[in-house]
Amino acid sequence: MIALVLLKLLSDLGFYYAFWGFFAVLAGANASVLLATYAVQSLTGLLTYLLREQGWLRFLPLALLAVGWLLPGGGIAAWVAIAPPALYVAWLSAGRRYLPEWGRQVDIFSVFWKALLIFCLFMLLVSCGEILVAITIPVGLIGLTCCVLLTRSLRHDLTVCCQPRYQAMNLLLTAEVGLASLALSSKAFLQSCGAALFWIYETVFAPILMAVGHLLIAVIQIVMWLFSWVQFNFTEEEQEVQSLNLSDSEDMFGDFEVNESNSELFSRVCIALALILAAILLVLVFRWLSRSSRTAARQVTSRSVRSAVGRQTTRPPSRFDRSPVQRVRLQYQKFLALYRNRGLEQKISDTSQEIATKSVYSFDHAKVQALRQLYIAARYNDQATKEDAAKAKELYQALSRAADRDSTG
């Protein structure tokens, strides 16, 4: 569960820093300080999860949250920006709200990527691309990647997604995306990429574009010569453009006099209301990120227990190069073919647990579950011995013989 908790923290805090971090940098905060604080706060939440059974000791890692305020070059804007996620991590730790749900993560992802795309496009139009590259895009990529990996992991059964190899793959991919995102936030890296793209343009595309331009000029000259040859006369209509004299705008607004003291009072009220609304909005966002369905947590549904199986789409290996892992997976694929031949429906989204549930009235449930466990260990952890392969073959043959007896009887 360690990888799942870390992915949730990176996803939730990434949702916050991708947007609020932009305005913090716009107000003068250092983007590198926010990125470092983002990592420290996520690791702090993970440490509290590891100490969750130690009573009050689980709150000791929360002292690391002070690192954000101690980093040099932060500034007031950064100190204000890192306070809400620090409180969010402390709130998760106090309530042990570590474990996410598949349905909630799907909702978060669907909102996250749409809001991030619209936000980035709008800020590019108002010439804020430098700040986007410094904080929003790197954090957004990390948050989206973690959200996708978390959603994909939660589709599987916990016996699958908690295996060491599966968690290591998720953490490795997260680290790779994090390094790539940090590289995107580096000016030196972006300048190097720009220089490389400019060299490719000058070497490959510029000559092609010049040749196409000369060709178009030649075609236009030929067309114009043809028009002149048939004595077409082109006439241009004169259009008068009236310019508006805006010098009288001062006279239009000169009659409106605003009392200075009333204006100052009004601005203070507006600022206070804006701060209150911003605080309420942050509370609602963080509650939405951590909200869970208690009913869904108590019931085992197709949304909470997932371990996708799919159909065999590649040619099976020859009998001379089959490893025990491949042989176990092959036996399970043969069982799926037998499952479909019995007239049972297999959807693309069906999982091995759902297959076992649907086949309870057509096959021996104990044998199906035993074959499923061998398949899960082989597919998701690359663990299978010759004895496991022989056991899988024996289970499939027993299921096949029982199916033949039922069809002939």
Side-chain angles (χ1 to χ4, degrees):
M1 298 298 292
I2 296 177
L4 297 182
V5 173
L6 182 59
L7 289 175
K8 174 179 171 53
L9 289 167
L10 289 171
S11 173
D12 291 354
L13 298 185
F15 191 99
Y16 169 82
Y17 279 105
F19 300 100
W20 198 259
F22 173 89
F23 296 105
V25 174
L26 189 64
N30 192 329
S32 60
V33 172
L34 295 180
L35 290 173
T37 305
Y38 170 47
V40 170
Q41 290 175 343
S42 300
L43 292 176
T44 300
L46 179 62
L47 291 176
T48 61
Y49 168 76
L50 295 176
L51 298 175
R52 64 191 182 279
E53 302 298 335
Q54 303 301 322
W56 290 100
L57 291 178
R58 75 179 191 273
F59 295 113
L60 288 180
L62 295 179
L64 295 175
L65 296 176
V67 172
W69 287 276
L70 299 177
L71 290 175
I76 297 177
W79 296 342
V80 173
I82 64 181
L87 295 175
Y88 176 66
V89 173
W91 180 67
L92 288 180
S93 303
R96 292 186 174 89
R97 301 174 179 89
Y98 300 106
L99 302 182
E101 294 179 358
W102 184 77
R104 291 295 308 144
Q105 290 304 132
V106 171
D107 296 338
I108 292 173
F109 175 73
S110 63
V111 174
F112 194 175
W113 76 265
K114 295 172 186 175
L116 183 64
L117 179 61
I118 295 173
F119 183 80
C120 289
L121 291 176
F122 178 77
M123 290 305 169
L124 285 175
L125 292 177
V126 295
S127 302
C128 292
E130 185 175 353
I131 301 179
L132 288 176
V133 172
I135 183 68
T136 300
I137 293 179
V139 175
L141 288 177
I142 295 174
L144 283 176
T145 301
C146 293
C147 194
V148 170
L149 292 176
L150 184 57
T151 304
R152 183 176 180 272
S153 299
L154 293 175
R155 292 182 67 249
H156 301 293
D157 192 359
L158 290 180
T159 58
V160 175
C161 60
C162 291
Q163 292 180 0
R165 180 175 176 270
Y166 194 88
Q167 295 191 74
M169 291 176 59
N170 284 340
L171 294 177
L172 180 61
L173 182 57
T174 303
E176 293 175 352
V177 174
L179 293 175
S181 301
L182 292 178
L184 286 176
S185 64
S186 172
K187 292 183 179 180
F189 178 80
L190 293 176
Q191 290 173 355
S192 301
C193 292
L197 292 175
F198 182 76
W199 179 83
I200 294 174
Y201 168 78
E202 290 287 335
T203 307
V204 179
F205 295 102
I208 297 175
L209 293 176
M210 291 180 63
V212 172
H214 288 304
L215 180 61
L216 290 176
I217 292 174
V219 171
I220 292 173
Q221 289 178 348
I222 293 174
V223 172
M224 295 299 294
W225 178 80
L226 290 174
F227 273 102
S228 62
W229 183 67
V230 296
Q231 296 180 352
F232 275 108
N233 295 324
F234 296 95
T235 61
E236 297 180 355
E237 297 181 357
E238 297 182 354
Q239 298 179 353
E240 297 181 355
V241 179
Q242 299 179 353
S243 61
L244 295 176
N245 186 4
L246 301 180
S247 60
D248 297 334
S249 59
E250 297 181 358
D251 297 335
M252 297 173 59
F253 298 98
D255 296 333
F256 294 96
E257 296 181 356
V258 181
N259 186 279
E260 183 176 356
S261 60
N262 292 337
S263 177
E264 183 179 358
L265 178 61
F266 179 74
S267 62
R268 290 182 178 180
V269 172
C270 290
I271 292 174
L273 291 176
L275 292 176
I276 294 173
L277 290 177
I280 294 174
L281 179 61
L282 287 177
V283 171
L284 293 177
V285 167
F286 282 124
R287 286 190 61 186
W288 175 73
L289 288 173
S290 62
R291 189 176 61 190
S292 62
S293 174
R294 301 301 178 187
T295 303
R298 291 192 297 264
Q299 298 178 354
V300 179
T301 65
S302 60
R303 293 172 64 88
S304 59
V305 179
R306 315 288 292 184
S307 52
V309 293
R311 299 191 180 188
Q312 182 76 14
T313 57
T314 58
R315 180 178 61 86
S318 65
R319 66 179 61 188
F320 300 104
D321 61 356
R322 288 178 187 164
S323 65
V325 171
Q326 292 171 331
R327 286 155 55 189
V328 169
R329 295 185 64 177
L330 179 61
Q331 295 301 324
Y332 191 79
Q333 294 294 339
K334 291 169 65 176
F335 164 70
L336 291 180
L338 180 65
Y339 171 91
R340 294 190 294 270
N341 290 336
R342 291 296 302 271
L344 299 176
E345 182 184 8
Q346 180 189 358
K347 300 179 181 178
I348 298 178
S349 60
D350 279 348
T351 65
S352 60
Q353 180 61 47
E354 290 169 340
I355 293 294
T357 302
K358 291 181 180 180
S359 62
V360 67
Y361 298 111
S362 301
F363 296 96
D364 188 328
H365 187 66
K367 291 185 174 60
V368 172
Q369 286 289 2
L371 180 59
R372 174 178 175 265
Q373 294 302 324
L374 293 173
Y375 165 73
I376 288 176
R379 177 178 179 182
Y380 296 104
N381 212 26
D382 280 342
Q383 291 182 354
T385 62
K386 293 181 179 180
E387 290 77 10
D388 293 335
K391 181 65 175 178
K393 183 177 181 180
E394 178 184 349
L395 289 170
Y396 166 72
Q397 289 177 347
L399 293 170
S400 178
R401 288 194 297 268
D404 293 338
R405 287 195 300 269
D406 292 341
S407 61
T408 55

